[in-house]
Amino acid sequence: MIRQLVRILLVLVFVAFSAPLQAADPAPVSVPGWVIDPASSQLAFVAIQQGAEIKGTFSRFSGDIHFDPARPQESHATIRVDMASVDSQSAERDQSLQGPDWFGSESFPESIYRVAKFEKINENQYIAKGELVIRDLKQALDLPLTIHFSTDESGRQVAKAEGEVSVNRLDYGVGQGAWQDTQAVGNPVKIRILVIAHPAPAAPQ
Amino acid sequence: MNWRNTAERYGAVAIGFHWIVAVLVITLLAVGLVMTDMKPGPDMFKIYATHKSIGIMVLGLVVLRLLWKLTNPRPASLPTHRTWERLLAKAVHLFLYFAIIAMPLSGWIMSSAKGFPVSVFGWFTLPDLVAPDKDLSKAANEFHELIAYTLIVAIVLHFSGALKHHLIDKDGTLRRMLPCPCRGKGDRE
């Protein structure tokens, strides 16, 4: 009887200890995460105003990046841009851009680029297949990227992703009313992204 | 009419430069006064862009005009011109030349400093003369405005002088800058 009880107890203890071990060992290993280095990363754009190029940047953006060059199809990322952080080298213009006719930053504080997967074109060349949401409008957007991996002085792995893509501002409602005039401000806007990222510290399981 | 200036009369090229620049500058002053009161919008952008394009065109014309002026004789003053008239006319002419160079240059600097590069009629974009700088753009703006108002006064003086010679002194001062072979009594050959 006592022997029976001890046996049951032992089994219970075994199950209790082994269950979490089993749960912490999911069959597919998740794609490794990357943390953006905001100081060396850059998000810039080039618009055409009356035939002249206007260059600007967004100083605040964040990203949740999971990328493995060996598994581009399972890699994914979400980039969030704080629209109020726009700097087009003119305080007046920045203020106009925040207004309801342009970014409408008060109602739409964030633009989001969600990458569902990556396609590998050749060595270091990828296409991020995603959707960009600006204001309340979502459009499919494929972003060609060049991604290089290296190691910095402290032995930490560094990923450098660079890409450029052209979007049409009117597809996202950027420029309302009279500002739909593409002679004053051109419809295509070039977006340039440079992301420097480091491997995310291993998350506690 | 000769292409080149003579000791008595301006040639066709100098006359052409004078009147084309005159029409453009007066247009720029009028547009400048109107556009600075406009509300930001595509129309305002277009008018500013046109103003800048014409301004740069004037700068180009003035460079050619000065080259032409340096390689041509200057028609002499008429005997009817009194000393004070000569001095005043000279001072006004100097300021007019200064203004038609300083206006486009300060406008270009202002545009660069404001971060609004200058595209000339959409054909090409000028390089920025300075990096974006708020204080500099404000200073260039004030200078541009001050020279503009002074230029209006100078043009009125210049025009009044020409009319005074034509209507009161009845000499050939104005006629020698007119694009016609018109010749009045008492004009020197």
Side-chain angles (χ1 to χ4, degrees), chain A residues 65-113:
Chain A
I65 302 173
H66 293 271
F67 187 80
D68 181 348
R71 289 185 292 162
Q73 298 284 333
E74 293 157 49
S75 301
H76 54 97
T78 304
I79 305 285
R80 292 169 187 275
V81 182
D82 179 352
M83 298 309 276
S85 74
V86 67
D87 175 8
S88 71
Q89 307 199 307
S90 158
E92 264 173 87
R93 187 167 46 219
D94 292 347
Q95 211 179 338
S96 307
L97 285 174
Q98 307 289 329
D101 284 348
W102 294 93
F103 298 155
S105 313
E106 228 169 85
S107 320
F108 315 105
E110 271 189 340
S111 289
I112 301 172
Y113 183 46

Side-chain angles (χ1 to χ4, degrees), chain A residues 47-68:
Chain A
I48 305 291
Q49 184 178 344
Q50 286 299 146
E53 283 194 350
I54 301 295
K55 297 185 177 83
T57 56
F58 290 95
S59 58
R60 291 191 299 272
F61 57 97
S62 60
D64 179 27
I65 302 173
H66 293 271
F67 187 80
D68 181 348

